[in-house]
Amino acid sequence: MIYLKHEEEIELIRASSMLVSKTLAHVAALLRPGITGIELDQAAEEFIRDHGGLPAFKGLSGFTNTLCLSLNEAVVHGIPGKSEIKAGDVVSVDCGVLMNEFYGDSAYTFIIGEVKEEIVKLVRVTEECLYKGIEQAIAGNRIGDISYAIMYHASKINPYGVVKELVGHGIGRKLHEAPEVPNFGAKGKGPMLKEGMTLAIEPMINLGTAHVKQLSDGWTIVTKDLKVSAHFEHTLAVQKEKAVVLSDHSVIKSAIKNNVELLK
Ligand code: MG
Ligand code: MG
């Protein structure tokens, strides 16, 4: 069942998504070599609760934290830990908020200090993939148009591996609703997009192989070849001409600009 949302419901999803974005900006301001995942996680939880929201991931299927923090070869679902973040790390931060009965979900990949040019490019292309997907999220298109645009940019224009085991999703009164939004697929296939559909589009793109495995912690997904992976995500509403993006990465980019420890 795909739920179409009214204007007022979309505004509530926007509010939750904006709190996610501001939380990610708060994390961006704190990110530096020496900080631990747990410290970032606690800061994020406090920020969300101080602003009237609940951390959406905490308690979901037994996940114990506010953030998914996935470093380097970790693709998604990394558990914030006690080890310190180091210069040269690639840190994907995924966050969800529940507020006023609606969810928001967004992710951003940060580069700490200097890394090889091939990694800078992977992160940039993964972000581009997100917007290629969003361009297709208009009424009358199909889910496959989003999927194809992401896959084409990641693995045809560029040489990267597209993760297939994990996908984007509908979002609203549940964090994960129908339809699934895969990052690979065929144009013109899948459910028809309609005005009022709210989706989380989230390309997960690997420098090397597309294949992934789960670590023994039961959560962290890593690339099989242990090469770096990147992840960007927006929550958005499908409209007639152009999707309305409900999360906002510009607040995160401002925080990056003000943080000397991060690659701009
Ligand atoms: Mg997410
Ligand atoms: Mg998501």
Side-chain angles (χ1 to χ4, degrees):
M1 176 82 192
I2 299 176
Y3 297 99
L4 302 181
K5 279 82 174 181
H6 305 295
E7 194 56 44
E8 307 83 69
E9 294 173 312
I10 289 172
E11 287 312 310
L12 292 174
I13 296 170
R14 187 198 297 276
S16 298
S17 301
M18 279 308 303
L19 182 49
V20 173
S21 303
K22 287 174 186 164
T23 305
L24 291 175
H26 186 59
V27 168
L30 295 171
L31 265 174
R32 58 181 160 76
I35 198 162
T36 68
I38 286 181
E39 288 172 312
L40 293 170
D41 192 69
Q42 286 172 348
E45 178 169 0
E46 202 176 301
F47 188 88
I48 291 169
R49 292 188 189 278
D50 283 351
H51 289 81
L54 291 172
F57 298 170
K58 201 167 187 169
L60 190 76
S61 310
F63 193 75
T64 50
N65 295 83
T66 294
L67 301 176
C68 289
L69 210 67
S70 308
L71 272 62
N72 305 315
E73 71 272 14
V75 179
V76 287
H77 300 171
I79 303 168
K82 281 183 232 160
S83 58
E84 293 181 357
I85 285 168
K86 307 179 297 299
D89 279 343
V90 175
V91 183
S92 299
V93 187
D94 194 349
C95 182
V97 158
L98 172 63
M99 194 165 63
N100 300 315
E101 292 173 33
F102 284 89
Y103 285 92
D105 187 8
S106 185
Y108 200 94
T109 297
F110 301 92
I111 297 174
I112 316 295
E114 300 291 320
V115 294
K116 284 187 199 157
E117 184 51 38
E118 62 172 8
I119 293 175
V120 176
K121 190 180 168 203
L122 169 76
V123 173
R124 192 187 72 228
V125 169
T126 304
E127 186 174 23
E128 288 168 3
C129 284
L130 172 59
Y131 292 97
K132 297 282 180 191
I134 291 171
E135 274 175 25
Q136 297 299 321
I138 46 178
N141 274 3
R142 290 180 181 270
I143 290 289
D145 294 306
I146 299 173
S147 306
Y148 179 84
I150 292 169
M151 179 192 73
Y152 187 80
H153 193 62
S155 65
K156 298 285 188 271
I157 300 287
N158 290 285
Y160 303 136
V162 176
V163 175
K164 297 187 173 63
E165 288 84 346
L166 299 128
V167 296
H169 48 93
I171 182 166
R173 288 184 188 273
K174 288 188 180 165
L175 180 61
H176 298 122
E177 295 185 348
E180 289 194 341
V181 187
N183 295 309
F184 64 97
K187 279 184 198 175
K189 301 284 184 191
M192 177 83 76
L193 299 176
K194 293 182 182 154
E195 233 182 320
M197 269 189 196
T198 42
L199 305 174
I201 298 181
E202 49 180 317
M204 293 156 238
I205 309 297
N206 302 343
L207 189 59
T209 182
H211 296 291
V212 297
K213 59 182 180 185
Q214 191 173 49
L215 295 186
S216 58
D217 63 15
W219 283 103
T220 315
I221 305 292
V222 299
T223 56
K224 264 198 176 151
D225 59 9
L226 302 181
K227 288 189 180 173
V228 173
S229 182
H231 177 216
F232 285 84
E233 178 179 27
H234 267 313
T235 293
L236 56 96
V238 174
Q239 301 287 324
K240 277 201 184 96
E241 308 284 323
K242 192 173 182 284
V244 178
V245 180
L246 302 171
S247 40
D248 177 13
H249 285 177
S250 73
V251 291
I252 302 168
K253 289 183 189 296
S254 301
I256 291 172
K257 225 175 250 174
N258 293 325
N259 184 339
V260 293
E261 309 286 357
L262 300 178
L263 196 73
K264 310 298 174 239

